[in-house]
Amino acid sequence: MTRWTSSVGAPQLARLLGSQHGRGTVTPLGGRRTPAYRSLADGIRLLVLEGRVPVAARLPAERELAAALSVSRTTVAAAYEALRGEGFLESRRGAGSWTAVPAGSPLPTRALDPLPPEAGESMIDLGCAAAIAPEPWLTRAVQGALEELPPYAHTHGDYPAGLPALRQALADRYTARGVPTMPEQIMVTTGAMGAVAAISRLMAGRGERVAVESPSYANVLQLMREAGARLVPVAMARDLAGWDLPAWRQVLRDAAPRMAYVIADFHNPTGALAPEEQRRELVEAARAAGTLLVADETMSELALEPGLELPRPVCAFDPAGNAVITVGSASKSFWAGLRIGWVRAAPDVIRGLVAARAYADLGTPVLDQLAVTWLLTTGGWHEAIALRRAQTRENRDAVVAAVRRHLPDWDFTVPRGGLTLWARTGGLSGSRIAEAGERLGVRVPSGPRFGVDGAFEGYVRLPFTVAPPVAEEAASRLAEAARLVASGATAAVETPRTYVA
Ligand SMILES: Cc1ncc(COP(=O)(O)O)c(C=O)c1O
């Protein structure tokens, strides 16, 4: 059986290697005193660790890469040999060579678990990208829901597709955003996670290929892994430029995945916003490949730049909802404690999903649905979101300033929306910083949690959910953690408790 799930061509690999130059991370090919084969091996290793080249991606034949890089074939052969020795490459005669990560690497096997609030103030929790409720809107919404409750009290309370009033309000919201939608195209779920779980159960079972952005949202990656899906990572474009469309086309063509899961709006963890043209092209490429595109809009309301013009939703390029299944949620725009998410798709897809979710949770709490209905139908939704955006913008600016002050060699692009900053940790291991941070009272998820197979070791994710003074203290503790890691002092540190998010 072939072990690779995607491939990277010689010109593409040459381009990726070239883009590393001058970024202070690798010695350029043929650089001072480093043998050329070593520089090449280091460059490829870094591309794998950063997720720029996915794990299990077939590399070009030695001869082709040598020609593309204008180096000798012996150089490429020696680099491949070195990578094989270090566990970053596997080869089989006739099948070629494909990327890997060494056995025993700290692969993430868990998703993101929030720390209980009672964990105390001594630990700053940067693990969870969810904010406090935008009061007074939560209280008002629940009061409004209580007033609407009496007629429902006389029913069985079991609404597997969601309350008709909320389905209508959500459909109206899509229509107002320019994508005409009927209530039959909406199913209310228990958070976006409930939506993705139902979709995975119905569409992407054991052994099915699912293409995902690399990096992507850790909990969805974990959910799909546990469902037995074979994840095919596709690297994001650099500098928050959205998707790498040529890479997507190649994966859709070569791997023909059953499903692809993408976050077009303020991507978690990078914050990237896919431009409208990319949305159109990805929908077309997925349709041509027969791949179902799942577009997670959980972050879509979190534009942080005033006046930022948002592209049309991904489903605008498949309004019937046969090729694109949209997932939404009130968790980030309003409050995660309500556990309200939804799916928008064609009515018969919705019917299949309603049947698929029945074995998991039967339905979503009526009172919570009434609260979101109240928000959407009274205008409270817009006011609450305006408040949420203002708070998040302030928090984002504080985190950015604090990291620049305390960790000047950390490198990132400031996102225009969303809840997270994806930071390169100045060449240090993000996992080690996370371990050291936990001992110093700051809990931060390291990059590999957002990668498919050990990629992104040089990253951490920082959320915009803590107030400015806390961000300042968190960055100062992280700087101390980074100093410990840089000095090698953490090697002797015992492994911390296992709840690192
Ligand atoms: C992209 C994305 N999808 C889904 C979720 C989970 O959402 P919910 O709380 O609605 O289950 C999150 C939470 O961080 C997220 O960032």
Side-chain angles (χ1 to χ4, degrees):
M1 194 181 79
T2 311
R3 296 283 311 279
W4 45 274
T5 51
S6 61
S7 52
V8 47
Q12 191 190 355
L13 187 52
R15 180 170 54 79
L16 289 167
L17 287 162
S19 71
Q20 291 174 323
H21 291 206
R23 298 177 69 229
T25 48
V26 286
T27 317
L29 283 184
R32 269 180 302 131
R33 267 181 250 129
T34 308
Y37 86 88
R38 187 65 260 169
S39 298
L40 176 56
D42 286 347
I44 294 174
R45 186 171 46 84
L46 194 77
L47 288 171
V48 172
L49 285 175
E50 285 195 345
R52 309 286 308 145
V53 168
V55 175
R58 188 185 194 194
L59 291 191
E62 291 168 6
R63 187 174 18 84
E64 288 165 25
L65 185 58
L69 292 173
S70 304
V71 298
S72 75
R73 185 169 166 183
T74 327
T75 299
V76 178
Y80 278 15
E81 188 52 41
L83 288 167
R84 263 190 294 274
E86 293 158 5
F88 285 96
L89 198 68
E90 292 176 16
S91 306
R92 231 202 10 245
R93 193 174 296 279
S97 298
W98 55 91
T99 54
V101 286
S105 293
L107 293 190
T109 52
R110 306 179 62 239
L112 306 172
D113 313 325
L115 205 56
E118 62 275 15
E121 286 176 5
S122 59
M123 178 65 84
I124 301 176
D125 186 8
L126 302 182
C128 185
I132 57 170
E135 284 291 44
W137 294 103
L138 176 62
T139 303
R140 287 188 193 167
V142 173
Q143 279 163 350
L146 276 175
E147 280 164 27
E148 298 296 326
L149 191 63
Y152 292 94
H154 297 291
T155 72
H156 49 53
D158 192 0
Y159 296 90
L163 290 187
L166 181 53
R167 295 175 82 192
Q168 181 72 58
L170 289 166
D172 291 348
R173 175 122 185 82
Y174 280 100
T175 303
R177 288 168 73 198
V179 194
T181 301
M182 303 174 297
E184 296 74 26
Q185 288 179 270
I186 301 286
M187 161 184 165
V188 180
T189 58
T190 306
M193 284 308 291
V196 180
I199 295 167
S200 305
R201 198 172 304 122
L202 187 66
M203 312 284 183
R206 194 152 291 281
E208 297 275 13
R209 288 181 176 177
V210 177
V212 291
E213 294 153 324
S214 175
S216 184
Y217 174 49
N219 288 348
V220 164
L221 294 181
Q222 189 63 6
L223 183 145
M224 297 210 182
R225 271 187 206 110
E226 288 186 2
R230 293 171 66 193
L231 299 181
V232 184
V234 187
M236 295 293 287
R238 271 215 185 288
D239 301 327
L240 308 191
W243 298 314
D244 180 344
L245 252 301
W248 267 103
R249 281 203 199 89
Q250 185 166 352
V251 162
L252 291 171
R253 208 174 42 231
D254 293 356
R258 172 85 181 84
M259 193 168 101
Y261 168 80
V262 295
I263 309 164
D265 307 282
F266 310 122
H267 175 258
N268 184 356
T270 65
L273 177 66
E276 183 156 321
E277 202 41 43
Q278 289 189 358
R279 296 171 188 233
R280 181 197 308 279
E281 289 181 22
L282 190 62
V283 172
E284 277 166 17
R287 196 185 272 121
T291 298
L292 191 68
L293 192 59
V294 177
D296 185 336
E297 288 195 331
T298 294
M299 298 282 184
S300 64
E301 302 271 17
L302 288 175
L304 300 180
E305 298 302 338
L308 174 64
E309 203 169 311
L310 289 179
R312 279 187 289 165
V314 178
C315 60
F317 305 100
D318 175 52
N322 289 305
V324 175
I325 299 190
T326 304
V327 170
S329 172
S331 288
K332 304 298 163 175
S333 32
F334 189 68
W335 189 49
L338 281 184
R339 307 308 308 141
I340 297 291
W342 57 88
V343 178
R344 180 199 183 280
D348 58 335
V349 177
I350 293 293
R351 280 191 289 276
L353 287 170
V354 170
R357 75 97 62 104
Y359 309 106
D361 66 356
L362 292 180
T364 303
V366 168
L367 201 60
D368 297 28
Q369 294 191 66
L370 287 174
V372 174
T373 310
W374 183 90
L375 284 165
L376 286 168
T377 51
T378 58
W381 181 257
H382 295 288
E383 297 205 39
I385 284 172
L387 201 60
R388 158 78 67 240
R389 286 187 183 141
Q391 271 168 356
T392 308
R393 190 180 311 122
E394 192 190 2
N395 293 347
R396 176 198 64 177
D397 294 347
V399 167
V400 165
V403 172
R404 284 194 175 133
R405 202 163 24 251
H406 292 279
L407 292 149
D409 57 343
W410 284 22
D411 173 25
F412 49 80
T413 305
V414 180
R416 291 174 293 168
L419 276 178
T420 53
L421 187 72
W422 183 236
R424 284 159 59 97
T425 45
L428 298 174
S429 156
S431 302
R432 286 210 170 273
I433 290 173
E435 283 175 19
E438 183 113 3
R439 298 180 66 81
L440 294 167
V442 58
R443 187 165 175 266
V444 65
S446 64
R449 293 196 179 267
F450 305 88
V452 168
D453 283 309
F456 305 111
E457 183 50 47
Y459 289 79
V460 294
R461 190 195 73 172
L462 304 170
F464 307 144
T465 48
V466 293
V470 183
E472 184 68 23
E473 178 57 27
S476 147
R477 292 182 193 180
L478 282 173
E480 181 54 26
R483 268 192 294 279
L484 277 179
V485 173
S487 70
T490 53
V493 163
E494 102 197 40
T495 312
R497 283 173 294 164
T498 51
Y499 60 60
V500 183

